[in-house]
Amino acid sequence: MKIEPASALVGAAAVPGVKGISQRAVLLAAVADGESRIRGFGRAADTVSAIDVVRACGVDVSEVGDDEIWVRGAGLRGLQAPAEPIDCGNAGTVMRLTCGLLAGQRGTFELVGDASLTMRPHERVAEPLRRMGAHITTTDGHAPLHIEGAELHPVSYELPVASAQVKSAILLAGLFAGDGPTTVVEPHPTRDHTERMLAELGVRLRRTPKTVSVWPVERLPSFELEVAGEISSAAPLIAAAVLLNGSELLLRGVNVNPLRAGLLDVLERMGGRIAVFNRRTVGGEPVADLEVRSTPLVATTVEADEVPRLVDELPLVALLGAFARGTTIVRGAGELRAKESDRIETVTDGLRAAGVRIESQPDGFTVRGTPARPRGGRIDAHEDHRIAMLGAITGLVSLEGVELQGAESVAISFPGFFELLDQLVQR
Ligand code: S3P
């Protein structure tokens, strides 16, 4: 796909519901008692993977509208073991959280994924679950994963890497674990969608800045949930509007959970002009409208403690850094190598191919900025949705445009991405 240069991004838009909340809601509704209703469901390949997984375990899901689904829960221990492997597609969140839910079920389950998900590390989930008594094996640290339901017991576990997916898997397993609290200790705070959702369902939790404990339950109630817009899907639009002179972009109903909104803090440090207003609470999560205008940027440094709050937006930080006065540094972000692609390499290769002065480091990247547009060129998404969106935005802000290889992978998280861009872009 050829992405032509643009002059500005102008207009108002809403983005699909938060991917991770949509996925968590499906998984929790599947083990609740009775029918749960989820509105604002962020329909995309990765969230449909959550539906596929619970259906494979015998749960009835009605797709009432494009963004509304009803899930008839099977009860806390009611998931059925299918004869075939359960396919998690490209969705790391689905595979990891499902491990936590299945560990306390009855029966034997096999989880598989696509080539990218199969490459990703899974011992990080299996190891803590085993300490809880789970019978789980990986295939040399990767998928396929085999899980045989077992009696679980509570543990206190210190995460070696900051990962909301691993934390969430342990917390979900904790719902089944004996009679005491299961505790997760985090090196740096990560997104707390699971904790917020469990709290909304009346589950007993205790939280300190670096720990969370969950108590086991007998049952989970069904629920109604509205999901607000995904900041990771808003982020490419925000980046384009900041970089394109004369942009005026209004994004309505974006989830601005402080553990997700690190990009807004980084942009503020860089001199970006983003107004956050109409703050409200939707489904137990902070939500706001955002108004974005273009501004000249100055370089910044993102360190390890901040990384989890914008981990999926770091590719865009590299592009923002390309326009900022000075050298932008991202470090302590080695986790980027364990995403849908090795994002340190795919970001560096892609932006360099477009004329950006960027160098990869073992744990991040360094970008030398200049206010002039990069030339453009050919960017390969490497079947990674976030790299596809980075490539598209790079095309808009380039001199000659970008030939984007693998543009279709945006459908993993944001199927309507290119249509929405078309509506907002001024040539
Ligand atoms: C996610 C957590 C992050 C993020 C991923 C979604 C989640 O992964 O990169 O896209 O929904 O919990 P890690 O927790 O492994 O860093």
Side-chain angles (χ1 to χ4, degrees), residues 49-273:
S49 286
I51 297 179
D52 292 344
V53 162
V54 303
R55 277 187 177 146
C57 297
V59 174
D60 186 16
V61 182
S62 308
E63 305 186 45
V64 177
D66 193 47
D67 69 349
E68 178 163 350
I69 63 167
W70 298 355
V71 181
R72 269 167 294 283
L76 193 66
R77 290 184 166 80
L79 297 180
Q80 292 163 21
E84 309 77 43
I86 303 172
D87 190 358
C88 301
N90 190 247
T93 303
V94 172
M95 184 171 272
R96 276 114 183 220
L97 271 61
T98 299
C99 289
L101 272 192
L102 294 183
Q105 302 291 324
R106 287 175 279 254
T108 304
F109 303 82
E110 182 177 356
L111 295 179
V112 297
D114 71 4
S116 147
L117 184 53
T118 301
M119 296 265 297
R120 297 176 66 185
H122 278 92
E123 230 2 86
R124 53 172 61 189
V125 196
E127 200 258 332
L129 294 180
R130 259 180 232 127
R131 290 197 198 190
M132 300 177 74
H135 298 159
I136 173 167
T137 54
T138 64
T139 308
D140 292 331
H142 303 282
L145 309 177
H146 291 269
I147 302 167
E148 203 185 309
E151 283 280 313
L152 303 184
H153 50 80
V155 291
S156 178
Y157 186 78
E158 199 170 325
L159 290 178
V161 288
S163 165
Q165 294 178 347
V166 178
K167 171 180 68 174
S168 298
I170 299 167
L171 294 178
L172 293 181
L175 298 175
F176 301 85
D179 51 9
T182 291
T183 299
V184 181
V185 183
E186 300 192 272
H188 304 294
T190 64
R191 65 189 68 188
D192 59 356
H193 298 318
T194 302
E195 294 90 312
R196 286 173 185 263
M197 208 176 286
L198 290 175
E200 288 278 300
L201 297 188
V203 173
R204 183 172 169 204
L205 290 171
R206 186 177 56 217
R207 299 183 64 183
T208 70
K210 281 197 173 169
T211 70
V212 51
S213 303
V214 64
W215 273 257
V217 293
E218 292 291 318
R219 54 180 292 274
L220 286 175
S222 61
F223 57 91
E224 299 218 350
L225 183 75
E226 193 181 327
V227 187
E230 169 65 83
I231 194 160
S232 294
S233 299
L237 308 174
I238 293 172
V242 166
L243 294 179
L244 293 170
N245 265 331
S247 293
E248 272 182 48
L249 175 68
L250 174 65
L251 293 169
R252 293 201 188 89
V254 180
N255 180 298
V256 287
N257 180 323
L259 293 169
R260 296 295 311 281
L263 178 68
L264 302 183
D265 302 333
V266 167
L267 267 170
E268 192 175 307
R269 288 208 297 276
M270 297 179 86
R273 276 170 61 202

Side-chain angles (χ1 to χ4, degrees), residues 309-321:
R309 302 200 297 116
L310 76 165
V311 65
D312 296 333
E313 288 66 72
L314 291 172
L316 291 163
V317 171
L319 178 62
L320 292 163

